[in-house]
Amino acid sequence: MSPRILLVDDEANIRKMVSALLESEGFETLEAPNGQAALEVVANDTPDAVLLDLMMPPGPDGLATLEQLKKRVPHVPVVMMSGKANLADAVRATKLGAFQFLEKPLTPEGVLVALRGALELGRTLAENRRLHAQLGHEDPLVGTSVAMDELRAMIARVAPTESRVLITGESGTGKELVASAIHRQSARSGKPFVTVNSAAIPRDLVESEMFGHERGAFTGATERRQGRFELADSGTLFLDEVGDLSAEAQAKLLRVLETGVVERLGGERPFTVNVRVIAATNKHLGQAVRAHQFREDLWFRLNVLPIHIPPLRERPDDIPPLVRHCAARCAARLGRAVRLDAGAVQLLAAYRWPGNVRELANIVERLAILATGETIGADDVARVIPHGQDGGRAVVAPAPRISW
């Protein structure tokens, strides 16, 4: 499906020329002659990006329209344009959430580069929202144990600050969930929350992925691309599995953390970003430092506020509420009730969960899909829980079938 761009300008000739340019490049266009018409358009048909003029007499002007757009469709990127703007207008537009500010007369290349960058930001934010919903980031942290209460208290204390956070814990404990909770409770809530899985980036693409590249910077770089730091500007960047970064990538990350300055690969204009960095790892970075596998100076800069998430086996009190939470999510997806009796919950609570919350969610989903009766019992659980030393499964006498 072609991206849809809303063109907002009081000059019909400009709308006509820009529309022709965009349609020749495969875009679809919507048009509005003023701010009020633009707000009416987005009320009925949400575009993928907006190209918005600053001066549109008699009003509302572009800044007032931008403010309303960000209230009604906050996730739609907006590119401002004007031939009479001053620095104060550009600064205010940026503070109101404008993605970029173009000066008139417009150039085809400038318009296309700005809109493609805005669309890439929009896609990144949409993917993050989808992943957050899929991972349960829209839900509160689930658990009634002392450890979970302490974790919530720690999040509440560190979230309002601008300090960097290093989250540690085994795989599957919910490190990204904690990072998302910190972002949502911070002053940056509503701004971009961009994630990077450091272990998944090929070594030769780390610099491009993190910091972006200019067109022609290397073979295959057919257009400018924004890096994750740039996409997270004014928001939060979550560096997952930071312990897996190569030595070269660690050095480049350290430089950005020290200066706040980013330079795209092949670029000649360094620029400043305002990003809060939250990192996470399942490795012991202190040991990695001593083994000369991780930079000590980078560790010090990331480890300002450490948060450790204990494994699920150390907080068994959290298993029953987590089971109920996962069952409710499965029920919503499957469109039918998912019930586990007391014996099933008891057997799940006796398992050691080497894969932590992620493994628990997978097992509950498996039980929900494979269930042949209305209620899942201990026998059903016994068939799907893995055997062997890793799980340390206990033998639990079946309990009466009491649904909850």
Side-chain angles (χ1 to χ4, degrees):
M1 184 175 179
S2 300
R4 291 177 298 170
I5 311 298
L6 172 59
L7 308 176
V8 189
D9 197 305
D10 60 324
E11 296 185 45
N13 286 339
I14 290 182
R15 297 200 307 272
K16 182 177 180 180
M17 288 188 294
V18 175
S19 178
L21 167 68
L22 295 180
E23 289 174 0
S24 70
E25 294 290 326
F27 296 92
E28 295 180 10
T29 58
L30 305 168
E31 295 185 23
N34 53 58
Q36 186 58 43
L39 296 175
E40 292 173 1
V41 169
V42 299
N44 300 308
D45 190 3
T46 304
D48 296 299
V50 178
L51 187 61
L52 175 63
D53 190 25
L54 178 64
M55 303 294 184
M56 296 182 294
D61 66 6
L63 292 175
T65 303
L66 172 63
E67 191 170 9
Q68 289 300 313
L69 285 171
K70 284 301 175 182
K71 290 179 180 178
R72 301 188 187 191
V73 283
H75 302 301
V76 175
V78 179
V79 175
M80 298 289 294
M81 56 181 176
S82 176
K84 300 179 181 180
N86 53 40
L87 180 60
D89 292 326
V91 170
R92 189 180 171 204
T94 301
K95 289 183 176 179
L96 288 173
F99 172 76
Q100 195 168 332
F101 206 105
L102 298 178
E103 293 185 8
K104 291 182 178 179
L106 301 174
T107 64
E109 182 179 359
V111 171
L112 292 173
V113 167
L115 286 177
R116 284 169 177 155
L119 290 168
E120 183 174 356
L121 172 62
R123 285 191 293 268
T124 300
L125 295 178
E127 178 65 9
N128 280 335
R129 291 195 302 274
R130 185 189 69 79
L131 291 173
H132 293 168
Q134 180 180 339
L135 293 169
H137 288 197
E138 297 174 352
D139 299 317
L141 293 169
V142 177
T144 57
S145 66
V146 173
M148 283 301 297
D149 289 341
E150 292 175 348
L151 180 60
R152 293 190 192 93
M154 178 62 77
I155 291 172
R157 291 178 64 184
V158 307
T161 75
E162 287 292 298
S163 299
R164 299 184 190 112
V165 180
L166 179 62
I167 305 170
T168 57
E170 296 178 3
S171 294
T173 50
K175 295 185 288 294
E176 187 171 352
L177 182 62
V178 170
S180 177
I182 293 171
H183 172 74
R184 284 185 284 116
Q185 295 180 36
S186 74
R188 296 174 183 260
S189 179
K191 301 296 183 180
F193 178 78
V194 178
T195 64
V196 180
N197 186 335
S198 306
I201 305 175
R203 184 180 296 265
D204 57 344
L205 293 179
V206 169
E207 187 173 359
S208 171
E209 192 71 22
M210 290 279 203
F211 313 122
H213 63 252
E214 296 289 350
R215 180 178 180 181
F218 52 85
T219 303
T222 57
E223 59 183 35
R224 190 186 78 175
R225 175 171 179 165
Q226 292 179 298
R228 300 302 178 92
F229 268 93
E230 191 172 354
L231 292 172
D233 193 19
S234 79
T236 303
L237 179 65
F238 176 55
L239 296 175
D240 198 8
E241 306 301 348
V242 71
D244 291 319
L245 284 174
S246 66
E248 182 182 6
Q250 290 177 37
K252 293 174 180 176
L253 173 60
L254 176 64
R255 185 180 68 242
V256 175
L257 295 181
E258 288 177 334
T259 65
V261 175
V262 173
E263 184 174 349
R264 299 190 195 99
L265 187 64
E268 299 178 353
R269 292 184 179 180
F271 54 91
T272 301
V273 291
N274 176 16
V275 175
R276 183 184 190 180
V277 172
I278 300 176
T281 181
N282 59 10
K283 300 181 182 300
H284 194 301
L285 290 188
Q287 294 178 358
V289 168
R290 289 190 290 273
H292 305 290
Q293 297 172 345
F294 198 83
R295 293 182 64 113
E296 185 177 42
D297 46 5
L298 178 57
W299 180 42
F300 288 151
R301 281 169 175 77
L302 292 174
N303 195 31
V304 178
L305 293 171
I307 294 180
H308 179 69
I309 308 175
L312 191 54
R313 62 182 173 276
E314 294 180 7
R315 43 190 180 95
D317 291 347
D318 291 337
I319 294 176
L322 279 168
V323 170
R324 291 191 290 270
H325 174 74
C326 294
R329 290 178 58 199
C330 287
R333 288 197 297 268
L334 297 174
R336 56 179 172 79
V338 177
R339 301 185 180 91
L340 291 86
D341 67 18
V345 176
Q346 189 178 7
L347 194 55
L348 289 170
Y351 183 60
R352 287 180 58 81
W353 299 110
N356 292 291
V357 180
R358 183 181 296 122
E359 183 186 12
L360 174 63
N362 290 343
I363 290 292
V364 172
E365 182 175 2
R366 190 182 309 166
L367 287 166
I369 293 172
L370 299 179
T372 56
E374 294 184 357
T375 303
I376 297 167
D379 291 342
D380 300 310
V381 173
R383 283 192 289 270
V384 300
I385 284 186
H387 295 266
Q389 294 292 329
D390 288 342
R393 187 180 61 160
V395 178
V396 181
R401 284 182 172 266
I402 302 174
S403 301
W404 46 262

